[in-house]
């Protein structure tokens, strides 16, 4: 309960006949009893989970290809450093991924953001950030 301070004082002496103990002056209440929550529907949540599993499979394909093929990794890095965004995107999509991919890069590395929809709603994104240069 943010902003509330509830203090309880206990004394070895009984309260005076005309006094009520401090803790009885403010009866306990629950904030949750005043809130109305909508009924839970897990449909979109489940669709998002399934879509995220597909994104993770695509991410795994990308990482596997980059790790196993130094030639492919060189092409991606070279195209990105020369600001050939379309070529980088074509190279990544040539792996056979099903997801939409957005590519951002700078001199330090590359970030691939895979996204998916559940029906007409964009439900989930998975970002992969890879570094290829250090500046000392």
């Amino acid at each position: 309960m943010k902003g509330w301070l509830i203090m309880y004082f206990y004394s070895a002496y009984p309260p005076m006949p005309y006094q009520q103990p401090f803790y009885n002056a403010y009866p306990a209440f629950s904030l949750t009893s005043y809130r109305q929550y909508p009924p839970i529907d897990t449909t979109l949540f489940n669709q998002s989970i399934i879509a995220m599993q597909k994104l993770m499979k695509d991410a795994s394909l990308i990482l596997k290809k980059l790790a196993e093929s130094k030639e492919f990794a060189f092409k991606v890095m070279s195209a990105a450093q020369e600001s050939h965004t379309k070529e980088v995107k074509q190279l990544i999509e040539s792996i056979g991924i099903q997801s939409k991919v957005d590519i951002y890069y700078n001199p330090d590395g590359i970030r691939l953001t895979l996204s998916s929809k559940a029906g007409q709603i964009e439900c989930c994104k998975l970002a992969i950030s890879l570094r290829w240069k250090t500046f000392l």
Side-chain angles (χ1 to χ4, degrees):
M1 296 185 333
K2 189 174 184 178
W4 285 84
L5 176 64
I6 299 176
M7 300 172 67
Y8 294 100
F9 293 102
Y10 295 98
S11 173
Y13 302 102
M16 299 297 289
Y18 57 87
Q19 285 182 320
Q20 286 289 325
F22 180 78
Y23 56 87
N24 285 340
Y26 299 99
F29 65 94
S30 171
L31 290 177
T32 57
S33 63
Y34 298 110
R35 295 183 183 162
Q36 293 294 323
Y37 295 103
I40 294 175
D41 180 9
T42 60
T43 305
L44 181 59
F45 188 48
N46 287 334
Q47 291 172 352
S48 296
I49 292 166
I50 292 166
M52 182 56 80
Q53 288 176 330
K54 292 175 184 175
L55 292 179
M56 291 181 72
K57 284 180 184 177
D58 284 346
S60 182
L61 284 173
I62 293 168
L63 294 174
K64 183 177 179 185
K65 180 69 172 181
L66 289 169
E68 292 177 352
S69 174
K70 287 189 178 189
E71 181 184 340
F72 184 78
F74 178 84
K75 286 180 182 178
V76 169
M77 188 174 171
S78 176
Q81 287 184 341
E82 295 172 9
S83 296
H84 296 275
T85 306
K86 288 182 183 179
E87 185 179 345
V88 175
K89 192 167 185 166
Q90 287 173 348
L91 285 166
I92 297 299
E93 289 174 346
S94 73
I95 297 170
I97 62 171
Q98 304 294 317
S99 309
K100 178 186 169 209
V101 63
D102 293 318
I103 300 168
Y104 309 95
Y105 48 84
N106 59 32
D108 294 343
I110 189 167
R111 186 177 77 222
L112 309 169
T113 304
L114 304 171
S115 59
S116 186
K117 290 185 176 184
Q120 298 299 320
I121 300 169
E122 189 173 278
C123 66
C124 36
K125 292 184 178 187
L126 179 63
I128 305 168
S129 297
L130 302 169
R131 190 155 192 187
W132 56 46
K133 186 147 180 116
T134 59
F135 293 98
L136 298 174

